[in-house]
Amino acid sequence: SLIKSSGIKASGKIDINRALIRGRYMQSTARMERNGIPIDTDLLFEVTEKWDSIKQALISETDTKGIYVEGSFSEQRFERHLALQGIAWPRLPSGRLELTDSVFRKRAQMHARSIAPYYELRSSLSRLRLSSLSVGPDGRNRCMLSPFRSDTGRNQPSTSRFIFGPSTWIRGLIRAPEDSFVAYIDWSQQELGIAAALSGDRGLMEAYKSGDPYLRFAQMAGAVSAKATKQSHPQERAAYKVCMLAVQYGMGGKSLAIQLGSTRHDANRLLRAHKDTFPGYWRWNSRILNQGFGSGVLETTFGWRRKVLPDAKPASVGNFPVQGNGAEMLRLAIIEMHNAGIRVCAPIHDAVLIEGPIDQAEEIVSKAQQCMREASRIILNGFELESDVNLVAHPQRYMDEERGVHFWNNVMTLIKRGDCIY
């Protein structure tokens, strides 16, 4: 096939085989933009019309700690809330809290009860413009997917026009047509799996294949016994999870301590455990940094290139092979899905949203997962990544299983209760 014959590179000339693959992906992108994502337009209209009053009601329902003052987020009151909860938070050089979306989102993942509700509320009130969602007369969300726009070659669709761009709760508007299903299929721990395969670190590959790399890391480091489970040692697993994810993004001891809400000593101890447990990964990461800053360029398995300037952030450079090869993997998987006749609605970072007749759901999802396994084998020289499926059939609606459900339920309750008027 075209994909399997793509290993030849013409030095100094057009890399024709890989260029053809990118051209094929543009064809797939056009198909996805034509397909679009099925939206419950009646509910979208209702929420849009009532949004101003919904916002006021949401503040009353969600802000149990009195963080908002006359409809506006109070940094001073939020800082006091953090102190009472004992939650560490990054600060700017000026001493003020760093309240960027990325920082807030990470803290929300770590503190589901005390921070997550405020993240969803603040994100929705400040950024969500329902009228900006691009929905056609056929009830399909479409926008330009902007393939290859990022340095890593990933898609970068508009965060306001694309249904997966705004707050996660709004994804509840996704609903398959009658007698159909939608399925969100994402690679299981894709970035960790890519790093394990590319680095050749056998321990990291073993941790990935275990199904729970965070608990396996704790076991390999001697922090818990081999018989430990997610239920028996939740705190230890959580700490080693934070460490494992922090390493992927190039965090040092100081940043990790903030993420953990612990001391610098504890953070350094975890980092040392990671270095001792996965030495092959750290040698590989060091080689990537030396190559990037030494030659001024890095490239993926299929030749997507990034120039590395002297002032580039080491964390970004070190993470490029993971992000870049993740993008390559997604492109190959989507091309193969279209070759297999699968209706792909959209790409979402390390995942796809597909659609089909409900009576063929099992067969179609199985084919899609096989395409994803095959793409991982091609990019990672035989190392295979598994995937997870969230399948929703009509009349149910898609919902992120971990985030946004509570906020969505609040909005729906307000509408049903009649608290929001036109």
Side-chain angles (χ1 to χ4, degrees):
S1 72
L2 175 64
I3 290 176
K4 293 180 180 178
S5 66
S6 61
I8 302 174
K9 180 178 180 181
S11 179
K13 300 179 181 179
I14 292 177
D15 190 352
I16 188 64
N17 289 313
R18 293 164 176 172
L20 287 174
I21 289 176
R22 291 176 192 136
R24 288 283 294 277
Y25 183 65
M26 290 303 298
Q27 183 184 57
S28 293
T29 297
R31 289 181 177 179
M32 290 186 288
E33 291 181 356
R34 180 185 63 190
N35 291 338
I37 302 170
I39 299 295
D40 183 345
T41 52
D42 290 338
L43 185 56
L44 172 61
F45 176 78
E46 185 173 14
V47 175
T48 301
E49 288 295 300
K50 299 179 179 180
W51 184 235
D52 287 340
S53 55
I54 287 175
K55 289 192 291 186
Q56 298 302 319
L58 283 172
I59 292 175
S60 299
E61 290 278 337
T62 306
D63 185 21
T64 59
K65 305 298 181 182
I67 306 299
Y68 279 75
V69 179
E70 296 181 357
S72 298
F73 181 85
S74 169
E75 182 178 335
Q76 184 178 11
R77 292 192 176 194
F78 185 65
E79 187 170 9
R80 187 169 60 218
H81 170 63
L82 295 175
L84 291 172
Q85 296 293 320
I87 298 174
W89 198 278
R91 293 182 179 272
L92 300 169
S94 64
R96 294 181 60 182
L97 297 175
E98 185 175 353
L99 296 174
T100 60
D101 184 74
S102 61
V103 169
F104 224 120
R105 183 176 63 253
K106 290 176 183 177
R107 285 300 181 280
Q109 293 170 353
M110 295 170 60
H111 305 281
R113 291 187 177 181
S114 55
I115 300 299
Y118 283 104
Y119 169 69
E120 288 292 344
L121 180 62
R122 188 168 183 264
S123 177
S124 295
L125 300 188
S126 64
R127 294 191 297 116
L128 182 59
R129 301 290 183 271
L130 288 168
S131 59
S132 297
L133 284 177
S134 180
V135 180
D138 60 350
R140 296 272 168 167
N141 172 231
R142 297 183 181 86
C143 69
M144 187 168 69
L145 296 174
S146 299
F148 312 112
R149 185 177 180 182
S150 72
D151 287 344
T152 60
R154 287 197 184 274
N155 310 282
Q156 279 194 346
S158 166
T159 56
S160 61
R161 296 169 63 83
F162 189 47
I163 189 68
F164 285 91
S167 299
T168 54
W169 70 271
I170 203 66
R171 299 172 191 177
L173 290 170
I174 299 173
R175 187 167 67 173
E178 191 173 352
D179 297 324
S180 299
F181 75 92
V182 291
Y184 181 96
I185 312 177
D186 64 322
W187 276 287
S188 307
Q189 305 295 336
Q190 186 199 47
E191 294 183 13
L192 177 63
I194 293 174
L198 294 181
S199 67
D201 189 299
R202 295 189 178 279
L204 198 55
M205 288 190 279
E206 178 193 332
Y208 176 83
K209 290 293 185 180
S210 73
D212 189 340
Y214 313 124
L215 181 63
R216 186 62 187 135
F217 172 27
Q219 292 171 335
M220 296 168 77
V224 299
S225 72
K227 296 182 179 180
T229 66
K230 182 177 180 179
Q231 290 71 32
S232 66
H233 293 76
Q235 293 182 339
E236 290 85 349
R237 180 185 178 276
Y240 279 78
K241 175 181 179 177
V242 172
C243 176
M244 216 167 200
L245 295 176
V247 167
Q248 289 178 212
Y249 290 97
M251 289 186 185
K254 181 179 179 181
S255 297
L256 178 56
I258 294 174
Q259 289 279 0
L260 291 166
S262 66
T263 65
R264 183 80 171 268
H265 173 78
D266 288 339
N268 287 334
R269 177 178 55 80
L270 282 172
L271 286 175
R272 174 50 58 188
H274 194 283
K275 291 178 180 179
D276 291 342
T277 306
F278 309 117
Y281 166 82
W282 286 91
R283 288 193 295 269
W284 169 76
N285 185 256
S286 180
R287 289 197 301 271
I288 293 298
L289 292 174
N290 290 336
Q291 178 185 341
F293 286 107
S295 66
V297 66
L298 288 172
E299 66 177 46
T300 63
T301 302
F302 276 13
W304 180 263
R305 308 185 83 193
R306 171 188 166 163
K307 290 184 179 180
V308 180
L309 301 177
D311 61 349
K313 294 182 179 179
S316 174
V317 175
N319 199 37
F320 170 77
V322 171
Q323 295 291 332
N325 281 293
E328 299 274 27
M329 193 182 299
L330 183 66
R331 287 194 284 271
L332 296 190
I334 288 174
I335 290 171
E336 286 298 288
M337 286 181 200
H338 281 132
N339 289 343
I342 297 171
R343 185 181 179 94
V344 185
C345 299
I348 310 99
H349 193 70
D350 61 352
V352 293
L353 187 76
I354 65 172
E355 177 186 2
I358 187 59
D359 59 351
Q360 300 176 36
E362 184 176 352
E363 177 187 357
I364 293 172
V365 168
S366 178
K367 283 183 181 179
Q369 289 187 289
Q370 179 57 37
C371 291
M372 294 174 78
R373 281 192 291 270
E374 177 68 7
S376 68
R377 284 197 296 267
I378 293 170
I379 294 296
L380 302 178
N381 194 30
F383 191 74
E384 189 174 284
L385 304 187
E386 294 298 331
S387 57
D388 300 313
V389 180
N390 181 5
L391 187 148
V392 183
H394 182 88
Q396 301 300 315
R397 57 186 73 251
Y398 172 82
M399 185 67 67
D400 190 297
E401 294 180 347
E402 296 183 0
R403 300 178 295 162
V405 175
H406 179 71
F407 202 90
W408 170 269
N409 290 337
N410 278 351
V411 173
M412 295 302 104
T413 299
L414 291 171
I415 291 177
K416 290 177 182 178
R417 229 167 45 195
D419 288 8
C420 305
I421 60 174
Y422 288 96

